[in-house]
Amino acid sequence: SIGAGISIITWIAVKSPLPALLLNIAILMLGAIPTIRKAYRDPSSENRLTWALFGLGCLVNLFAVEKWEFAIWIFPVFALAFDGTIAALVLWPRKNLTAPI
């Protein structure tokens, strides 16, 4: 993908993986927005077991972080925030949803 190519070029240009990681997280955030919107509007369209397992997996990943440095914890925290948001929307849907998102 174009995003992966840009992040590799960024990594090579600045000789550090952190900017490439942050770029990849930004790309993932943009990609997660449609899924979050869909889960908000129609939670029943998503697989509850899948998102429950994703959310649980992301939570367990936090326990694998041995050293709490930004470059190490940023991705597991990001994953928990986004996958956890989707899991919460799917597992605990609201009644009479009329939001125009």
Side-chain angles (χ1 to χ4, degrees):
S1 101
I2 295 172
I6 292 171
S7 67
I8 290 171
I9 292 168
T10 301
W11 186 346
I12 292 168
V14 298
K15 296 177 178 44
S16 172
L18 184 58
L21 173 63
L22 296 175
L23 183 59
N24 283 319
I25 289 173
I27 292 167
L28 287 170
M29 287 171 67
L30 290 173
I33 290 170
T35 305
I36 291 172
R37 288 182 69 189
K38 182 178 174 225
Y40 183 78
R41 285 183 173 173
D42 186 13
S44 64
S45 68
E46 295 290 334
N47 186 295
R48 293 170 56 105
L49 177 60
T50 299
W51 285 110
L53 291 174
F54 277 159
L56 181 61
C58 290
L59 181 63
V60 171
N61 274 341
L62 292 181
F63 294 101
V65 176
E66 293 181 16
K67 195 172 185 181
W68 285 91
E69 293 179 1
F70 180 77
I72 297 172
W73 64 257
I74 187 61
F75 188 79
V77 170
F78 155 78
L80 179 62
F82 275 78
D83 289 348
T85 297
I86 297 168
L89 290 169
V90 170
L91 295 172
W92 295 286
R94 288 116 7 253
K95 304 247 188 243
N96 300 324
L97 181 64
T98 59
I101 290 181

